[in-house]
Amino acid sequence: MDSLIYLAPVSGIISIIFAVFLAHRVLSQDPGSKEMRDISKSIQEGAKAYLNRQYKTITIAAIILSILIALLLPHENFNSVKIALCFLVGALFSGSAGYIGMNVSVRANVRTAQAAKTSLKKALDTAFKGGAVTGLAVVGLSMLGVSLLFIIFNDIELVVGFGFGASLISLFARVGGGIYTKAADVGADIVGKVEAGIPEDDPRNPATIADNVGDNVGDCAGMGADLFETYAVTLIASIMLGFTVSGSFPKSYPSHGLIQQAILYPLLLGSVAIIASVVAVFCVRLGKKNKIMAALYKGVAAASVLSLMGFFVITYKVLGKAHLNFFFVTVIGVAITVLMVVFTEYYTSTEHRPVKLIRKSSETGPATNIISGLAMGFESTIFPVLTIVVGIMAAFFVAAGPSLDPGMGLYGISIAAVAMLSTTGIIVALDSYGPITDNAGGIAEMSSQPESLRKITDELDAVGNTTKAVTKGYAIGSAALGALALFADYHAKIDELLPHKLVLDNRLFDLPVKDAAYAGGDIMSNGLNLAISSPLLLVGLLIGGLLPFAFTSVTMQAVSKAASKVVDEVRRQFKAMPGILKGTQKPEYAKCVDIVTSAALKEMIVPGLLAILTPLIVGFVLGPAALAGVLIGIIVVGLMLANSLNNAGGAWDNAKKLVEMDGKKGSEVHLAAIVGDTVGDPTKDTSGPALNALIKVVNMVAILFAPLYATGGLISHFF
């Protein structure tokens, strides 16, 4: 049993090797004409410049935080230093996954455009394989980091630092990348499409390069960091909960000693799922009807089916016949994934009622378009949330068994989350496919490629809009389940750290937790008071529910301010250089790239501080019970708000596409749809996805710094 744990880092290495193989395969293809290569190079330079500046900013924050971790957390056995080291490794691995994927993405775009000259099949293969580099790098580096650090330090509580490092990168990548991409997109749309009446990727638009850069730093690097973090922290949470159901034994043990099955199980599930994802990448192929979405879903289906086959074998071998109920828990996790994908596609695809309704509303103007979009966004939360509710209950009762063991039930929820993340490699590939095909269409238009080529890139891009919406829906659902597992870990951690009472000779004595194990008599924990009558818990619930709204407000305003600067710059260039619109002068693309880069880096600081400081302040001032309320509130409200923002934005986007497919470009209906799409841009690509990172960062901070406020806050002693 002991040696099985090494399958985890080996599977991570295999995933990384295949990512390198796919990168080589994609980059060896024809990059097209000199004009196409020049446009692609401008996108590459813009994306690289932004990520370099972003990572320099994050590096400073990471170094400061690592020093604080090393100084503030308990120093016993140099644990604080080890946690700080894990934190830096988590940040490095997460940043590397996004950086690798983005660098391939900005090179795969021109190769996809060139492949479209040959056939739809070749263009699809190039775009998807380019996206798969990011997907396999994300799951490979995440699994490698968690498992190796666990093996080296023999203590999962130290590896929480890795999860926090990944969370930090995810937050800044999501917020910064989201602000960048939507500021450029909104600015380009307002002046280009609405005022000047030129197409989205027209080379005369000074913001078009910034817009294409933004697709990569937002949807490729941003989503990669988001799901890297979710994957890592869910594994960590499951392993930590594994200790609670594995009997009473220390949380560190000799590396060649007995490894408990419940601790090993989630790592092995992740390992077989990675191998399944590698195989599934090669299952994405066009059928006879040339249905692109169907081809992409073949990969998701293959990853799901192969993962479930592996899950059965792992459950039987590791947990034994008596615990085969956990295989059915993994089936529940995969079923949640399928339903989240189905519901998200229903509310964002051009083929279904919600998008058609918004398109119909556009006929009476922008106001009714906005009202319909908001209504569909709110409606779209119903079925995903009910799916997660049913999934949580089913996982809990199936895992808890006839005895209804609550510890096993909570562990079952975490296993369902691990199973839900089994398709992460393919899901990230679908998301990264989006910016690659979007850029391919932009390069084709800017380099004046023939209509036949543009038709193929348009087909690929239309599907890319849906895949981006679907992957965000998947990320939101998996974040919610993962956060519930993290909350259970927080509860267990606080209960463990609270002072204990010793009952000896019918007398009560207070004991520090470190002495409780060595005392005679009966030991009782004070426990964390989560009674609904507790004012501290109620206050925490309100603060937790407020945080997603405050965070959304800050990020939406950031997009608005940055987009205004882009609008001003594009208008200035059109006025100062009238030859731009005539096609006799070249726009100053670099000016817009620099504006959105500076704005994104500046504006991502406040949301980052909001996420990190709120749990610390609540913990120190109001204590652990209030902070528990914050965690519950942010999970509930954040899940619903993220879903509504994501789906409303995706529906607005595809409603505009539907108008264009009807041949009504430039009409009043089209202008109304553009307004809705412009409003939806920051909801689906900035604020909505960033709420995933917010939820998990707050939870990770709460767990990591629990020793500092476990015994109560400044005010909690009065209650």
Side-chain angles (χ1 to χ4, degrees):
M1 185 70 70
D2 225 18
S3 59
L4 283 177
I5 195 171
Y6 296 104
L7 288 176
V10 168
S11 68
I13 292 169
I14 290 172
S15 186
I16 294 166
I17 289 171
F18 269 91
V20 173
F21 165 73
L22 291 177
H24 174 73
R25 183 170 170 177
V26 170
L27 297 181
S28 64
Q29 294 189 33
D30 184 1
S33 66
K34 183 180 183 304
E35 189 178 4
M36 293 169 69
R37 294 196 304 271
D38 287 344
I39 296 167
S40 178
K41 188 176 179 182
S42 296
I43 297 170
Q44 292 169 34
E45 290 172 351
K48 186 176 179 180
Y50 171 73
L51 276 193
N52 286 344
R53 288 174 64 176
Q54 183 186 55
Y55 285 156
K56 283 178 184 176
T57 305
I58 297 174
T59 299
I60 295 169
I63 291 171
I64 294 171
L65 279 171
S66 64
I67 293 171
L68 289 174
I69 290 169
L71 293 176
L72 295 177
L73 292 180
H75 301 312
E76 188 178 358
N77 297 323
F78 298 101
N79 279 356
S80 62
V81 176
K82 293 174 184 175
I83 292 172
L85 177 62
C86 289
F87 167 77
L88 291 174
V89 174
L92 176 64
F93 275 33
S94 179
S96 298
Y99 200 85
I100 292 166
M102 191 277 299
N103 270 287
V104 174
S105 176
V106 294
R107 289 166 173 79
N109 52 22
V110 69
R111 289 163 173 81
T112 299
Q114 178 64 18
K117 291 181 178 179
T118 303
S119 66
L120 174 63
K121 180 181 178 181
K122 186 173 181 180
L124 171 63
D125 184 71
T126 304
F128 179 75
K129 295 289 197 307
V133 173
T134 308
L136 295 181
V138 163
V139 293
L141 284 169
S142 187
M143 175 61 79
L144 182 64
V146 171
S147 58
L148 267 186
L149 290 172
F150 185 40
I151 291 169
I152 291 169
F153 291 121
N154 308 313
D155 190 341
I156 193 59
E157 290 190 355
L158 302 181
V159 188
V160 170
F162 181 90
F164 182 42
S167 296
L168 181 76
I169 294 294
S170 172
L171 181 69
F172 285 119
R174 260 300 177 205
V175 173
I179 293 170
Y180 185 113
T181 182
K182 291 304 108 179
D185 196 358
V186 170
D189 284 356
I190 288 174
V191 186
K193 286 196 284 190
V194 177
E195 295 181 5
I198 58 178
E200 182 174 358
D201 293 312
D202 196 296
R204 293 172 292 176
N205 193 328
T208 191
I209 294 295
D211 185 11
N212 280 280
V213 169
D215 291 329
N216 293 283
V217 300
D219 280 318
C220 185
M223 176 59 83
D226 187 352
L227 283 171
F228 180 101
E229 175 219 17
T230 301
Y231 194 87
V233 301
T234 303
L235 276 178
I236 292 168
S238 298
I239 295 168
M240 290 179 74
L241 284 173
F243 281 105
T244 67
V245 297
S246 294
S248 62
F249 52 90
K251 292 195 175 179
S252 60
Y253 45 83
S255 58
H256 295 291
L258 176 65
I259 295 177
Q260 300 292 325
Q261 288 94 327
I263 301 162
L264 182 62
Y265 186 53
L267 283 171
L268 293 181
L269 292 180
S271 300
V272 298
I274 284 177
I275 303 303
S277 292
V278 170
V279 175
V281 166
F282 298 95
C283 295
V284 174
R285 293 178 182 175
L286 276 177
K288 292 180 180 178
K289 295 183 179 180
N290 281 348
K291 294 284 186 181
I292 300 171
M293 202 72 210
L296 295 173
Y297 278 159
K298 284 179 186 176
V300 178
S304 300
V305 171
L306 292 173
S307 293
L308 285 173
M309 292 168 62
F311 292 166
F312 180 82
V313 174
I314 291 297
T315 306
Y316 185 82
K317 292 290 186 182
V318 175
L319 300 184
K321 238 186 230 184
H323 294 292
L324 273 179
N325 55 319
F326 276 94
F327 167 69
F328 296 104
V329 172
T330 66
V331 174
I332 291 167
V334 173
I336 293 172
T337 295
V338 172
L339 290 173
M340 291 296 288
V341 167
V342 168
F343 292 138
T344 305
E345 183 181 350
Y346 174 76
Y347 278 98
T348 58
S349 171
T350 56
E351 298 177 3
H352 303 296
R353 176 186 68 92
V355 170
K356 289 180 179 179
L357 179 64
I358 297 171
R359 182 251 175 269
K360 180 71 174 173
S361 298
S362 302
E363 294 177 1
T364 49
T368 46
N369 173 285
I370 298 296
I371 292 168
S372 294
L374 288 173
M376 289 300 102
F378 294 144
E379 181 187 302
S380 72
T381 62
I382 298 172
F383 293 110
V385 170
L386 290 178
T387 297
I388 291 172
V389 167
V390 173
I392 288 170
M393 297 298 290
F396 182 91
F397 285 112
V398 170
S403 62
L404 293 181
D405 182 338
M408 292 291 277
L410 288 173
Y411 179 68
I413 292 172
S414 73
I415 293 301
V418 171
M420 186 178 180
L421 287 161
S422 61
T423 54
T424 294
I426 290 292
I427 294 294
V428 175
L430 290 185
D431 189 78
S432 297
Y433 159 92
I436 290 172
T437 55
D438 194 328
N439 278 194
I443 290 169
E445 185 165 312
M446 284 186 276
S447 60
S448 302
Q449 295 301 313
E451 188 63 31
S452 58
L453 186 152
R454 181 63 187 177
K455 184 180 178 183
I456 290 176
T457 57
D458 279 348
E459 286 184 55
L460 295 169
D461 184 25
V463 171
N465 282 331
T466 303
T467 63
K468 286 187 285 187
V470 164
T471 53
K472 290 181 179 73
Y474 167 86
I476 291 165
S478 60
L481 274 187
L484 284 172
L486 287 173
F487 175 75
D489 286 331
Y490 170 77
H491 192 298
K493 178 88 170 174
I494 294 296
D495 272 352
E496 176 193 307
L497 291 169
L498 285 171
H500 288 55
K501 289 189 179 295
L502 169 65
V503 183
L504 188 62
D505 297 330
N506 294 321
R507 297 172 64 192
L508 282 176
F509 301 91
D510 286 326
L511 279 178
V513 64
K514 64 185 179 64
D515 295 330
Y518 306 105
D522 296 323
I523 305 297
M524 298 188 307
S525 170
N526 290 342
L528 184 62
N529 180 18
L530 295 183
I532 196 65
S533 59
S534 166
L536 290 173
L537 181 68
L538 291 173
V539 167
L541 284 169
L542 290 172
I543 294 172
L546 170 67
L547 197 53
F549 285 98
F551 185 85
T552 299
S553 172
V554 171
T555 51
M556 294 279 278
Q557 287 183 63
V559 171
S560 179
K561 287 189 283 186
S564 295
K565 293 178 181 177
V566 175
V567 168
D568 289 341
E569 174 59 24
V570 175
R571 285 173 177 167
R572 182 198 68 79
Q573 290 195 33
F574 282 162
K575 186 177 180 180
M577 296 180 284
I580 291 177
L581 287 175
K582 297 176 183 177
T584 58
Q585 281 182 283
K586 187 177 179 181
E588 296 176 348
Y589 300 120
K591 291 281 182 70
C592 289
V593 171
D594 186 62
I595 287 171
V596 287
T597 298
S598 300
L601 294 175
K602 178 184 175 183
E603 300 293 344
M604 73 180 185
I605 295 172
V606 173
L609 291 175
L610 192 65
I612 294 169
L613 293 181
T614 300
L616 291 175
I617 293 171
V618 171
F620 281 118
V621 177
L622 298 176
L627 186 51
V630 170
L631 302 186
I632 297 169
I634 198 172
I635 291 170
V636 173
V637 176
L639 166 64
M640 297 184 192
L641 185 58
N643 243 314
S644 61
L645 291 173
N646 175 58
N647 292 336
W652 271 317
D653 190 346
N654 272 340
K656 181 204 68 177
K657 292 282 185 189
L658 199 55
V659 171
E660 292 172 350
M661 288 162 61
D662 290 342
K664 294 188 176 182
K665 278 189 178 183
S667 66
E668 292 296 322
V669 177
H670 189 222
L671 289 176
I674 288 172
V675 172
D677 177 37
T678 305
V679 172
D681 277 337
T683 69
K684 69 181 173 64
D685 290 324
T686 306
S687 299
L691 286 171
N692 299 339
L694 172 71
I695 293 169
K696 289 170 288 182
V697 167
V698 170
N699 275 271
M700 293 304 295
V701 171
I703 294 172
L704 189 62
F705 292 97
L708 303 182
Y709 42 72
T711 55
L714 297 175
I715 295 177
S716 62
H717 296 292
F718 296 101
F719 290 86

